[in-house]
Coordinates of all heavy atoms in Angstrom, one line a residue:
W500 N 21.2 -102.0 -106.7 CA 19.9 -102.7 -106.8 C 20.0 -104.2 -106.7 O 19.1 -104.9 -106.1 CB 19.1 -102.3 -108.1 CG 18.5 -101.1 -108.1 CD1 18.7 -99.8 -108.7 CD2 17.2 -100.9 -107.2 NE1 17.7 -98.9 -108.4 CE2 16.9 -99.5 -107.5 CE3 16.4 -101.6 -106.4 CZ2 15.7 -98.9 -107.0 CZ3 15.3 -101.0 -105.8 CH2 15.0 -99.7 -106.1
S501 N 21.2 -104.6 -107.2 CA 21.3 -106.2 -107.1 C 21.6 -106.5 -105.5 O 21.1 -107.6 -105.1 CB 22.6 -106.5 -107.8 OG 23.8 -106.1 -107.3
T502 N 22.1 -105.7 -104.8 CA 22.3 -105.9 -103.4 C 20.9 -106.0 -102.7 O 20.7 -106.9 -101.9 CB 23.2 -104.9 -102.7 OG1 24.6 -104.8 -103.2 CG2 23.2 -105.0 -101.2
L503 N 20.1 -105.0 -103.0 CA 18.8 -104.8 -102.3 C 17.8 -106.1 -102.9 O 17.2 -106.7 -102.1 CB 18.1 -103.6 -102.7 CG 18.9 -102.3 -102.1 CD1 18.3 -101.1 -102.7 CD2 18.8 -102.3 -100.6
K504 N 17.9 -106.3 -104.1 CA 17.0 -107.4 -104.6 C 17.4 -108.8 -104.1 O 16.7 -109.7 -104.1 CB 17.0 -107.4 -106.1 CG 16.3 -106.2 -106.7 CD 16.3 -106.1 -108.2 CE 15.6 -104.8 -108.7 NZ 15.6 -104.8 -110.2
A505 N 18.7 -108.9 -103.7 CA 19.2 -110.1 -103.1 C 18.8 -110.3 -101.6 O 19.2 -111.3 -100.9 CB 20.7 -110.2 -103.3
G506 N 18.1 -109.3 -101.1 CA 17.6 -109.3 -99.8 C 18.6 -108.8 -98.7 O 18.5 -109.1 -97.5
R507 N 19.7 -108.3 -99.2 CA 20.8 -107.7 -98.4 C 20.5 -106.2 -98.2 O 19.8 -105.6 -99.0 CB 22.1 -107.8 -99.1 CG 22.4 -109.4 -99.2 CD 23.7 -109.6 -100.1 NE 24.9 -108.9 -99.4 CZ 26.0 -108.7 -100.1 NH1 26.1 -109.1 -101.4 NH2 27.0 -108.3 -99.4
V508 N 21.1 -105.6 -97.1 CA 21.1 -104.2 -96.8 C 22.4 -103.6 -97.6 O 23.3 -104.3 -97.8 CB 21.0 -103.8 -95.5 CG1 19.8 -104.5 -94.8 CG2 22.3 -104.4 -94.7
V509 N 22.3 -102.2 -97.8 CA 23.5 -101.5 -98.2 C 24.3 -101.2 -96.9 O 23.7 -100.3 -96.3 CB 23.1 -100.4 -99.0 CG1 24.3 -99.4 -99.4 CG2 22.4 -100.8 -100.3
P510 N 25.3 -101.8 -96.7 CA 26.0 -101.6 -95.3 C 26.5 -100.1 -95.3 O 27.1 -99.6 -96.3 CB 27.2 -102.7 -95.3 CG 27.4 -103.0 -96.8 CD 26.1 -102.8 -97.3
G511 N 26.3 -99.6 -94.1 CA 27.0 -98.1 -93.9 C 26.0 -97.1 -94.2 O 26.3 -95.9 -94.1
Y512 N 24.8 -97.6 -94.6 CA 23.7 -96.5 -94.8 C 22.5 -96.7 -94.0 O 22.1 -97.8 -93.6 CB 23.3 -96.6 -96.4 CG 24.2 -95.8 -97.1 CD1 25.5 -96.4 -97.5 CD2 23.9 -94.7 -97.7 CE1 26.4 -95.6 -98.3 CE2 24.8 -94.0 -98.6 CZ 26.1 -94.5 -98.7 OH 27.0 -93.8 -99.5
G513 N 22.0 -95.6 -93.4 CA 20.9 -95.8 -92.5 C 21.5 -95.5 -91.0 O 22.7 -95.7 -90.8
H514 N 20.7 -95.1 -90.1 CA 21.1 -94.9 -88.7 C 19.9 -95.0 -87.8 O 18.8 -94.4 -88.3 CB 21.9 -93.5 -88.6 CG 22.6 -93.5 -87.3 ND1 21.9 -93.1 -86.1 CD2 23.9 -93.7 -86.9 CE1 22.9 -93.1 -85.2 NE2 23.9 -93.4 -85.7
A515 N 20.0 -95.5 -86.7 CA 18.8 -95.7 -85.8 C 18.4 -94.3 -85.2 O 17.2 -94.2 -85.0 CB 19.2 -96.5 -84.6
V516 N 19.2 -93.3 -85.2 CA 18.9 -92.1 -84.6 C 19.0 -91.0 -85.6 O 17.9 -90.2 -85.8 CB 19.9 -91.6 -83.5 CG1 19.5 -90.3 -82.9 CG2 19.7 -92.7 -82.4
L517 N 20.0 -90.8 -86.4 CA 20.2 -89.7 -87.4 C 19.3 -89.8 -88.6 O 18.9 -90.9 -89.0 CB 21.6 -89.7 -87.9 CG 22.7 -89.4 -86.8 CD1 24.1 -89.5 -87.4 CD2 22.5 -88.0 -86.1
R518 N 18.8 -88.9 -89.0 CA 18.0 -88.7 -90.3 C 18.6 -87.9 -91.4 O 17.9 -87.2 -92.2 CB 16.6 -88.2 -89.9 CG 15.8 -89.1 -89.0 CD 15.4 -90.6 -89.7 NE 14.9 -91.4 -88.9 CZ 15.4 -92.5 -88.2 NH1 16.8 -92.6 -88.3 NH2 14.8 -93.3 -87.4
K519 N 19.9 -87.7 -91.3 CA 20.6 -87.1 -92.3 C 22.0 -87.7 -92.5 O 22.4 -88.6 -91.7 CB 20.7 -85.6 -92.0 CG 21.4 -85.2 -90.8 CD 21.4 -83.9 -90.4 CE 22.2 -83.5 -89.1 NZ 22.2 -82.1 -88.8
T520 N 22.8 -87.1 -93.4 CA 24.2 -87.8 -93.5 C 24.8 -87.4 -92.2 O 24.9 -86.4 -91.6 CB 25.0 -87.0 -94.7 OG1 24.3 -87.1 -95.9 CG2 26.4 -87.4 -94.7
D521 N 25.5 -88.6 -91.7 CA 26.2 -88.6 -90.5 C 27.3 -87.6 -90.5 O 28.2 -87.6 -91.4 CB 26.6 -89.9 -90.1 CG 27.2 -90.1 -88.7 OD1 27.6 -89.1 -88.1 OD2 27.2 -91.3 -88.3
P522 N 27.4 -86.5 -89.6 CA 28.4 -85.6 -89.7 C 29.9 -86.2 -89.5 O 30.9 -85.7 -89.9 CB 28.2 -84.5 -88.5 CG 27.3 -85.3 -87.7 CD 26.5 -86.2 -88.6
R523 N 29.8 -87.4 -88.9 CA 31.1 -88.1 -88.7 C 31.6 -88.7 -90.0 O 32.9 -88.8 -90.3 CB 31.0 -89.2 -87.7 CG 30.7 -88.6 -86.3 CD 30.2 -89.8 -85.3 NE 29.1 -90.5 -85.9 CZ 28.6 -91.6 -85.4 NH1 29.3 -92.2 -84.3 NH2 27.6 -92.2 -85.9
Y524 N 30.6 -89.0 -90.9 CA 31.0 -89.6 -92.3 C 31.6 -88.4 -93.0 O 32.6 -88.4 -93.8 CB 29.7 -90.0 -92.9 CG 29.9 -90.3 -94.4 CD1 30.3 -91.6 -94.8 CD2 29.8 -89.4 -95.4 CE1 30.4 -91.9 -96.2 CE2 30.0 -89.6 -96.8 CZ 30.3 -90.8 -97.1 OH 30.6 -91.2 -98.5
V525 N 30.9 -87.1 -92.9 CA 31.4 -86.0 -93.5 C 32.9 -85.6 -93.3 O 33.6 -85.3 -94.1 CB 30.5 -84.8 -93.3 CG1 31.0 -83.5 -93.9 CG2 29.1 -85.1 -93.8
S526 N 33.2 -85.7 -91.9 CA 34.5 -85.4 -91.5 C 35.6 -86.4 -92.1 O 36.7 -85.8 -92.5 CB 34.6 -85.4 -89.9 OG 34.5 -86.7 -89.4

């Protein structure tokens, strides 16, 4: 929450195409 409230993104989360956990992350 401190990251988000500082106006920063949580790096490594979200994807322009995928809408679920990246299977490459899972591997």
Side-chain angles (χ1 to χ4, degrees):
W500 276 113
S501 70
T502 297
L503 294 171
K504 290 178 180 178
R507 301 169 61 191
V508 299
V509 175
Y512 278 72
H514 193 278
V516 177
L517 298 175
R518 293 294 175 263
K519 61 181 181 180
T520 299
D521 192 332
R523 299 168 300 170
Y524 174 92
V525 175
S526 65

